[in-house]
Amino acid sequence: MRTRRPVDALLWLALATPAATADAIGLNEPRTAWQQLGGLAALAAAAAIWRRRPTLAFLLAAAPGEATAPSLFTVSYGMALAVFAFLLGRHGPRARPALLAFAAVAAAGTAKVVVRDVDPVVEWLVLMATLLFGAVFPWLAGRYLRQSRALTAAALARADQLEREQRIVADRARLRERARIAQDMHDSLGHELSLIAVRAGALQLAADLPEHHRVAARDLRVAAADATDRLREIIGVLRDEGDEPAPLAPPGETVAQLVARAGESGLEVRYVADGAEEPGPAERLAYRVVQEALTNAAKYAPGAPVTVAATRADARTTITVTNGAPREPGSPPGGGSGLADLHTRLAALGGDLDAGAHAGGFRVRAVIPADAGAAVTAPADLAPADTLPADSVPLPSGTLAHARRCTVLAFGAAAATGAVLIAGTFGWYAYTKTHSVLRPADFAALRVGAAQADVAAVLPERGVSDPPVDRAPSPPPPGADCRYYRASGQLFTSSAHFRLCFENGKLVDKTVIPKAGTAAEDGDGGRR
């Protein structure tokens, strides 16, 4: 608060300077000392409270100008009016108090114009133009600055928020990639361990193998099965069950090569491709299905024959892996999620996976859409930060554009209103000046003592509402009804005026009031 007081004092000093010096240099009509002190006190109060009560400060700044000039146009307080209107727009939280303040100033000025003996139309138009250009425009400028800074602050906050969100998305993508790698390790290594167990089982059954070697082969098979189980448990810790499983790419081999390698390891398996040797663009998922099914067959149904069939029809690839009844005891059923993950993934891509008992053995049947390969190649879960949706743009450009559009419309409406007022003011000024002209020849033809009805025949339709009575060479006759007319229709220049005074229905005085800077003429132009 203490640091603000010098600023407020300097503001008052800057606004009080024209208020105190305008009269001295002749820019205003002289005012009394009490009027000057009252105006300076109002400005001091406005400078002291504009931070807390900007609307009241504006009304205090408008009060001296409206008290000294009904049209609100005054050199002494015009700057103060504009400054406090700008501060009202800059610091006023709402528009309604400002609009009510403008309406109050307009109503008070209109009431004062009505009771004064002047041309009300011209005075009212000047009042409205002063209020528009001296108060409304500065208020709009301050309000625009306030909105611009608020929008900038909101945009910066939005950018910070989106940056944090993008960091979270990147962290989540890294975690999913780690889970994908872990799942890949599980499936690939689990498959290889299953093939090792198959080879060990085949070695255990060899007739020419010594007993101690047979025991070693059996232990190797059991160890491979146990290693597969422990690998599943470790990988399960790294996986997020709430997320969709990430797709896995084959390790550089086709489905046919996978089946051939499994056969070379001792698994009794054959591969049938109907319509094409490879299952087309969906090979990634096809490879994954066959790999999981062969691993399960080797683990849970050792010695059973396995058939892998791939058919393509209607833009869909069907993979069927069927194994017969196990010929020897296998590993007990576990809680693996390989087939469940594949089912979830295929369902999301529009495919299907069905697994269950079949003819004493087990069958896995997967239907893969032809466009699943493209979906697997670029999963949406791992989209980089620069491919985020359009609604994640850091800057609220739509809001900013709307605010700018509203501001432009407000300024445009105010400017249009001002143009109408100015055009109306000049139009009324031209009309009143050109329709209050009494031709010098008609004035010269008038004679004092003529009947008022005869004189009215040559008079214009309007009289001058603000005649220059201070330039009249003589005062009007006491009790007479005097009327004033212009001697020329020229605009924006000083013109001579004619004064005609009537009493008891007769012309009792005709006087020429010279234009500014010209002495009164004698003869017919003087008083008769």
Side-chain angles (χ1 to χ4, degrees), residues 116 353 414 508 510:
R116 291 183 76 243
L353 185 143
V508 297
K510 50 177 295 192

Side-chain angles (χ1 to χ4, degrees), residues 1 39 94 114 124 128 154 166 187 196 214 223 230 269 275 280 289 321 336 369 387-388 446 462 494 520:
M1 181 62 70
R94 296 181 300 169
V114 171
W124 187 81
M128 292 294 105
Q166 288 179 356
D187 295 327
I196 293 174
R214 195 183 308 277
R230 287 196 299 271
V269 59
V289 170
V321 182
T387 59
L388 291 176
L446 296 177
R462 294 183 58 85
S494 179

